[in-house]
C-alpha cells in the first residue's frame, strides 16, 4: 500500500498532528493541549514532558481512527515554536522547564551578547531577549548548578526529535534562531558558542530540514505499533514550516500572519542580513534557501486584550466597524503590550492610545487597535524593504483574517494585495509533513511545497491610501515620544 507521512506541529498552547498521503493530501488530524507557566512577570515556561504526553495522545488518536493508513507510516516531520531552551543532562533527562520564545527575563544578557564583536556578523541578527543564547547566559548567572549539569541544549522541536529517535538532532531553520548558528555557513559557530561558555558538544547535530535526521527509535516503533522503518526528517522552526506548507520558497514570495503575534515573512534565495533593521534572517528548512521576517509581539492579542476589558467578544467588536473602510480613526494605538521586536527591539516599551477625547467611543478604540496592528506590520514591511524585499502579493492567514474589515485595512496600509487561501491546511503541520515526504522519498522540495488554492484576493483601497499614509506617519512619530515617557 501507499506510504503515509506525519507532520507534528508543536505549538505554544498545543500539539497538532497531520496525517497525509504521498501527494500531501490530508487523511486526518488530531490535537492535544497543554498550559504555559508564568511564575514571575516576564517569564514563560513549559514542561517538555507535557509535549511528550500530547504527542502520545495525538499518535494514539490517529492510529485508532486511521489504522490502515497509520500502519503504512513512512516518515515523520516536526515543526516547533522557536528559541526555547530545553536542558538535557548526561542521562538524557530534562533538567528544568523549557524557557519559551516569549520569555523576556534575559534582556540584559541579550544586550551583552549583542554588543560582542562577532554576534551580528556571524548570526546575521540582533541578539533578541527571546533567543536561546541569552537564556543560557541567564541560567549560567542565576542557576549555575543547572548550567553545569547541561549536556545538551535542545530547541523544542529538537527535543521532540530526541524523544522520537534517541538522537540529538535539529534543523537549520530552528538552529538559526539561537544566536549560535553561523547562518551564512549553516553550521554551529564555535565563536558564538564560546561567548556563553558552550561548545559544539553541547549542541545537537544540525541537518537540513528536508533531509533525513534519524530513524524512529525501537521504543517508539513498538509503542506506535509500526513494523517497517520510519524516517524522521530534520523538521523546522514554526515559521519556516509554515512557509513550506504555503509553498513559499522563491524570492519575492511571502506571507503575513495575523495571529496572537504578527509575522511578515519573505522567502530569500540568498543570504543578505540587515540586523540593524531588527529583521530576522534565518535559514529556510530547505537547502540553499533563507528567509527574513519582521515580528510584532502582539497582533490579535491586542484585540483579545480589549475584549477582556470591554466584555465584548472580538467578533462583536469588529462587527461594529462594518465591512467598508471609512478612513483613519484619528486615534493612534501603539500595540506594544508585551514590548516589540521589529523594528524597535524594545522589550520594555508598553502600549497606549494617543488622541482619546470625550467623544471617543468603543468602536473608535477598536478601529484604532486594528490600525495600530496594521501600522506595526507596515513597520515590518519597511524594514524588509531595507533588505531589498518587495512583494507583488502576500498570502494572509491567522485568526485576524476572519475579519473582512481587518483584511481590507491591512491590504490598504501595506499597499499590497492579500491572497486568502481556501481551506485550512497550509500551515506548519502540513509543512512538517512535506519535509517528511522530502526526507523519505528524496523528491525535490519545490515539487512538493506548492502554494494553496486561493479563495479571494483583497486589493488595497486606493481611495484611502493617502489618508492611511498620513495616519502611519503619525504612528511612526508617536513611538519616540511614547518611549521618552516610559524611561
Amino acid at each position: 500500500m501507499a506510504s503515509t507521512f506525519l507532520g507534528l506541529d508543536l505549538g505554544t498552547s498545543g500539539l497538532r498532528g497531520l496525517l497525509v498521503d504521498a501527494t500531501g493530501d490530508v487523511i486526518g488530524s488530531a490535537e492535544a493541549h497543554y498550559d504555559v507557566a508564568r511564575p514571575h512577570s516576564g517569564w514563560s515556561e513549559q514542561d517538555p514532558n507535557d509535549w511528550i504526553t500530547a504527542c502520545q495522545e495525538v499518535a494514539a488518536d490517529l492510529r485508532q481512527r486511521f489504522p490502515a493508513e497509520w500502519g503504512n507510516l513512512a516518515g515523520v516531520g516536526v515543526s516547533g515554536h522557536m528559541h526555547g531552551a530545553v536542558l538535557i543532562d548526561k542521562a538524557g533527562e530534562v533538567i528544568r522547564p523549557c524557557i519559551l520564545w516569549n520569555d523576556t527575563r534575559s534582556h540584559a544578557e541579550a544586550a551583552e551578547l549583542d554588543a560582542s564583536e562577532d554576534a551580528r556578523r556571524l548570526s546575521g541578527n540582533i541578539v533578541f531577549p527571546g533567543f536561546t543564547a541569552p537564556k543560557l547566559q541567564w541560567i549560567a548567572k542565576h542557576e549555575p548548578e543547572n548550567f553545569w549539569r547541561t549536556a545538551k541544549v535542545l530547541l523544542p522541536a529538537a527535543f521532540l526529535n530526541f524523544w522520537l529517535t534517541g538522537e540529538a538532532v535539529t534543523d537549520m531553520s530552528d538552529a538559526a534562531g539561537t544566536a549560535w548558528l553561523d547562518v551564512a555557513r549553516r553550521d554551529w559557530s564555535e565563536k558564538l558558542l564560546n561567548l556563553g561558555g558552550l561548545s559544539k558538544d553541547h549542541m545537537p547535530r544540525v541537518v537540513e530540514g528536508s533531509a533525513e535526521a534519524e530513524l524512529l527509535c525501537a521504543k517508539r516503533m513498538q509503542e506506535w505499533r509500526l513494523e517497517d522503518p520510519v524516517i524522521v526528517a530534520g523538521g523546522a522552526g514554526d515559521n519556516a514550516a509554515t512557509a513550506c506548507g504555503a509553498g513559499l520558497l522563491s524570492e519575492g514570495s511571502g506571507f503575513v500572519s495575523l495571529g496572537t503575534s504578527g509575522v511578515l515573512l519573505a522567502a530569500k534565495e540568498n543570504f543578505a542580513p540587515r540586523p540593524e533593521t531588527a529583521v530576522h534572517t534565518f535559514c529556510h528548512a530547505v537547502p540553499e534557501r533563507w528567509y527574513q521576517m519582521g515580528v510584532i509581539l502582539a497582533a490579535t492579542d491586542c484585540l483579545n486584550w480589549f475584549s477582556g476589558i470591554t466584555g465584548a467578544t472580538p467578533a462583536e467588536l469588529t462587527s461594529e466597524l462594518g465591512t467598508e473602510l471609512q478612513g483613519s480613526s484619528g486615534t493612534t494605538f501603539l500595540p506594544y503590550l508585551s514590548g516589540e521586536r521589529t523594528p524597535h527591539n524594545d522589550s520594555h516599551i508598553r502600549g497606549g492610545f494617543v488622541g482619546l477625547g470625550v467623544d471617543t467611543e468603543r468602536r473608535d478604540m477598536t478601529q484604532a487597535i486594528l490600525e495600530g496592528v496594521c501600522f506595526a506590520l507596515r513597520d515590518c514591511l519597511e524594514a524588509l524593504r531595507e533588505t531589498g524585499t518587495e512583494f507583488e502579493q502576500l498570502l494572509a492567514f491567522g485568526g485576524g483574517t476572519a475579519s473582512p474589515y481587518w483584511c481590507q485595512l491591512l491590504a490598504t496600509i501595506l499597499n499590497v494585495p492579500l491572497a486568502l487561501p481556501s481551506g485550512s491546511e497550509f500551515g506548519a503541520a502540513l509543512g512538517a509533513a512535506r519535509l517528511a515526504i522530502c526526507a523519505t522519498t528524496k523528491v525535490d522540495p519545490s515539487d512538493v511545497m506548492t502554494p494553496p488554492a486561493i479563495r479571494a484576493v483583497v486589493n488595497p483601497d486606493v481611495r484611502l491610501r493617502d489618508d492611511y499614509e498620513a495616519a502611519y506617519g503619525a504612528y511612526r512619530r508617536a513611538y519616540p515620544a511614547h518611549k521618552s515617557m516610559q524611561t
Side-chain angles (χ1 to χ4, degrees), residues 26-52:
V26 175
I27 296 168
S29 65
E31 295 184 10
H33 299 275
Y34 35 77
D35 296 325
V36 175
R38 294 183 174 86
H40 302 285
S41 177
W43 290 31
S44 183
E45 299 183 341
Q46 274 178 342
D47 182 352
N49 293 306
D50 290 345
W51 307 337
I52 291 175

Side-chain angles (χ1 to χ4, degrees), residues 80 82-83 122-125 131 155 170-189 192 206-210 234-244 248-249 255 265-273 279-293 435:
M82 298 177 68
H83 314 307
L122 293 172
S123 74
N125 292 279
F131 282 12
L155 295 154
T170 191
D171 97 290
M172 304 288 180
S173 69
D174 217 6
T178 61
W180 289 320
L181 195 79
D182 185 327
V183 177
R185 292 181 54 249
R186 302 174 85 92
D187 195 7
W188 297 118
S189 166
L192 294 178
V206 64
V207 300
E208 296 289 352
S210 56
D238 51 4
N239 285 298
T242 298
C244 290
L248 304 175
L249 304 183
F255 72 75
L265 180 145
K268 306 294 287 186
E269 295 177 5
N270 56 73
F271 179 66
V279 163
H280 300 338
T281 303
F282 294 151
C283 301
H284 211 317
V286 299
E288 299 180 7
R289 292 287 191 276
W290 289 262
Y291 70 93
Q292 292 181 313
M293 64 179 181
L435 291 168

Side-chain angles (χ1 to χ4, degrees), residues 79-146:
S79 158
H81 48 85
M82 298 177 68
H83 314 307
V86 184
L87 310 187
I88 304 296
D89 65 17
K90 291 181 179 179
E93 297 298 319
V94 175
I95 294 172
R96 70 173 319 284
C98 174
I99 304 178
L100 298 182
W101 62 274
N102 55 352
D103 188 294
T104 59
R105 76 184 74 174
S106 59
H107 55 87
E109 291 78 12
E112 180 182 338
L113 288 172
D114 189 54
S116 66
E117 180 181 353
D118 294 317
R120 295 190 183 187
R121 179 178 64 85
L122 293 172
S123 74
N125 292 279
I126 290 173
V127 181
F128 290 87
F131 282 12
T132 320
K135 294 179 171 69
L136 267 292
Q137 293 283 82
W138 185 93
I139 290 170
K141 290 180 182 178
H142 299 277
E143 300 176 2
E145 68 285 358
N146 287 334

